[in-house]
């Protein structure tokens, strides 16, 4: 195991599956993960890391619980929805957690579409994919790796910038991840959302999620969900902000888990030269796709 008995005193390491970097503990458990049995009434929340996963989880949970805040406080968010490829002791693996959970289940994954356990494609389960623009994703991921022992040290910002562009981060290249899932929506029931749209008009996007889930909640409940899932509210919520996670695993004095929650923070990190380099490379990697992103709103 990459993490020793001290539970995260040592940094996790990465391994590889089909050329995609993933936590070594995930790679070591790959057989179990691939054999995971999805069910038709599962709802899978899927994202590239740092794209608004936690936000979407809370939105989906609030809708599922018909806006009942207390029910959403039943446990910390990272234990409410099994994280399929999670395989870090002492917590049970994501697969084990999902297998003991009553249906209908809400599940989470960061896997690129080509590595998703095949049973998901064979099922009629619903999938919500949330995408966030690459520049903000990079910045958010960098700060997360600084504070979390569940991933390797990010190195300097300059080094991280190169590694992100080269896909040398956990879950592989951002570019292939978003393009792969964008394509997957032609063959499966996928609601494709954007972090930037959620920031711009949360109510509109929450309504989309509600319809996709086949729910019809009245206006008052919808407004309550909008309020409860705002960045400010979620940042103060101990069931969400990871304040229960020991400092040896996540050191929030380095960078808080609920960090800024805005669109365009990349402008505070990218130099002019980096931005130019990034844009040239981006154009090549995103050529030919109909998928477009807003880097500011
Ligand atoms: P920043 O680091 O840019 O602040 P994930 O849940 O996929 O790990 O994504 C984390 C990112 O989503 C962080 O971005 C976090 O602050 C942001 N986020 C979490 N909850 C949010 C909310 N309610 N509104 C806006 N952004 C949110």
């Amino acid at each position: 195991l990459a993490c020793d008995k001290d539970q995260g005193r040592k940094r996790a390491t990465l391994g590889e599956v089909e050329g995609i970097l993933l936590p070594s503990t995930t790679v070591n458990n790959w057989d179990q993960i691939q054999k995971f049995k999805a069910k038709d009434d599962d709802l899978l929340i899927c994202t590239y890391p740092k794209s608004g996963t936690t936000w979407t989880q809370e939105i989906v949970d609030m809708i599922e619980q018909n806006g009942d805040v207390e029910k959403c406080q039943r446990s910390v968010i990272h234990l409410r929805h099994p994280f399929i490829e999670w395989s870090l002791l002492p917590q049970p693996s994501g697969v084990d957690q999902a297998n003991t959970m009553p249906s209908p289940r809400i599940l989470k994954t960061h896997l690129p579409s080509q590595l998703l356990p095949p049973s998901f494609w064979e099922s009629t389960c619903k999938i919500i994919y949330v995408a966030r623009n690459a520049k903000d994703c990079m910045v958010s991921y960098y700060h997360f790796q600084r504070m979390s022992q569940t991933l390797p040290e990010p190195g300097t910002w300059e080094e991280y910038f190169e590694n992100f562009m080269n896909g040398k981060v956990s879950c592989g290249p951002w570019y292939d991840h978003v393009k792969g899932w964008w394509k997957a929506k032609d063959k499966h029931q996928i609601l494709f959302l954007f972090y930037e749209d959620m920031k711009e008009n949360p109510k509109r996007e929450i309504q989309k999620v509600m319809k996709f889930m086949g729910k019809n909640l009245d206006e008052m409940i919808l407004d309550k969900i909008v309020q409860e899932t705002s960045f400010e509210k979620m940042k103060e919520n101990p069931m969400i902000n990871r304040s229960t996670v020991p400092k040896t695993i996540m050191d929030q004095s380095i960078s808080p888990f609920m960090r800024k929650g805005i669109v365009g923070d990349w402008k505070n990190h990218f130099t002019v030269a980096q931005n130019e380099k990034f844009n040239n490379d981006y154009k090549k990697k995103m050529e030919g796709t109909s998928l477009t992103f807003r880097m500011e709103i």
Side-chain angles (χ1 to χ4, degrees):
L1 284 177
C3 249
D4 65 14
K5 289 191 284 307
D6 289 341
Q7 295 171 28
R9 269 175 221 281
K10 255 193 203 153
R11 283 275 180 163
T13 57
L14 301 179
E16 232 178 75
V17 175
E18 293 177 30
I20 302 291
L21 289 176
L22 290 169
S24 302
T25 50
T26 297
V27 175
N28 294 341
N29 195 29
W30 195 245
D31 218 42
Q32 190 200 29
I33 295 164
Q34 280 301 292
K35 285 187 190 131
F36 178 72
K37 284 273 163 281
K39 296 179 184 170
D40 288 342
D41 57 358
D42 286 341
L43 172 66
L44 179 66
I45 298 171
C46 180
T47 55
Y48 188 78
K50 310 322 285 176
S51 301
T53 326
T54 315
W55 190 7
T56 308
Q57 282 177 266
E58 186 65 4
I59 289 171
V60 165
D61 203 33
M62 284 287 284
I63 294 171
E64 181 76 8
Q65 310 299 339
N66 305 311
D68 187 328
V69 177
E70 262 165 42
K71 281 193 183 154
C72 292
Q73 302 275 347
R74 69 193 177 280
S75 79
V76 291
I77 195 146
H78 50 282
L79 295 179
R80 265 181 256 163
H81 307 140
F83 182 8
I84 292 306
E85 65 270 27
W86 182 266
S87 310
L88 196 56
L89 296 170
Q91 220 170 283
S93 75
V95 170
D96 285 338
Q97 260 178 276
N99 286 343
T100 55
M101 178 170 261
S103 291
R105 306 179 298 185
I106 294 163
L107 310 168
K108 161 187 161 180
T109 185
H110 288 318
L111 291 172
S113 59
Q114 75 274 16
L115 295 185
L116 191 73
S119 67
F120 280 102
W121 303 122
E122 290 149 15
S123 81
T124 57
C125 77
K126 291 177 185 172
I127 300 178
I128 299 178
Y129 187 83
V130 186
R132 185 183 195 184
N133 83 73
K135 292 179 186 175
D136 283 331
C137 225
M138 184 197 297
V139 169
S140 183
Y141 211 170
Y142 168 68
H143 288 295
F144 182 69
Q145 283 193 226
R146 287 172 58 228
M147 64 82 89
S148 178
Q149 302 284 321
T150 63
L151 289 172
E153 296 264 11
T156 65
W157 165 248
E158 288 72 26
E159 287 163 351
Y160 196 77
F161 176 85
E162 298 294 330
N163 283 338
F164 185 95
M165 284 205 311
N166 294 324
K168 297 291 171 214
V169 289
S170 188
C171 298
W174 174 93
Y175 315 86
D176 296 347
H177 204 283
V178 295
K179 284 192 290 182
W181 278 101
W182 181 248
K183 229 178 166 174
K185 75 182 174 33
D186 298 337
K187 61 165 183 179
H188 202 91
Q189 217 183 164
I190 299 177
L191 176 67
F192 204 100
L193 299 176
F194 294 90
Y195 181 94
E196 294 74 23
D197 294 348
M198 289 164 67
K199 277 304 286 189
E200 182 183 62
N201 191 339
K203 189 167 176 176
R204 178 190 62 205
E205 300 307 305
I206 290 170
Q207 239 157 347
K208 280 189 201 166
V209 176
M210 190 182 76
K211 284 204 186 111
F212 186 69
M213 290 171 68
K215 286 274 206 173
N216 191 11
L217 304 175
D218 65 42
E219 198 73 15
M220 255 176 54
I221 295 180
L222 192 62
D223 286 334
K224 186 175 166 196
I225 296 176
V226 173
Q227 274 176 20
E228 292 294 327
T229 57
S230 73
F231 179 77
E232 292 69 28
K233 265 274 174 129
M234 282 181 50
K235 190 179 169 74
E236 299 309 319
N237 185 338
M239 292 299 173
I240 290 169
N241 63 20
R242 303 288 203 274
S243 55
T244 57
V245 175
K247 202 174 172 182
T248 48
I249 297 177
M250 282 188 184
D251 188 345
Q252 303 215 33
S253 69
I254 296 174
S255 179
F257 179 73
M258 297 290 292
R259 197 183 60 91
K260 281 197 181 173
I262 59 169
V263 178
D265 190 39
W266 62 269
K267 289 178 191 164
N268 300 316
H269 292 75
F270 280 52
T271 64
V272 173
Q274 280 177 333
N275 197 34
E276 207 167 290
K277 184 172 183 184
F278 183 93
N279 287 345
N280 286 332
D281 178 69
Y282 187 89
K283 219 183 267 167
K284 281 181 223 149
K285 286 182 175 143
M286 297 300 278
E287 205 179 10
T289 173
S290 56
L291 174 61
T292 58
F293 284 86
R294 290 190 291 167
M295 316 273 186
E296 51 202 305
I297 53 171

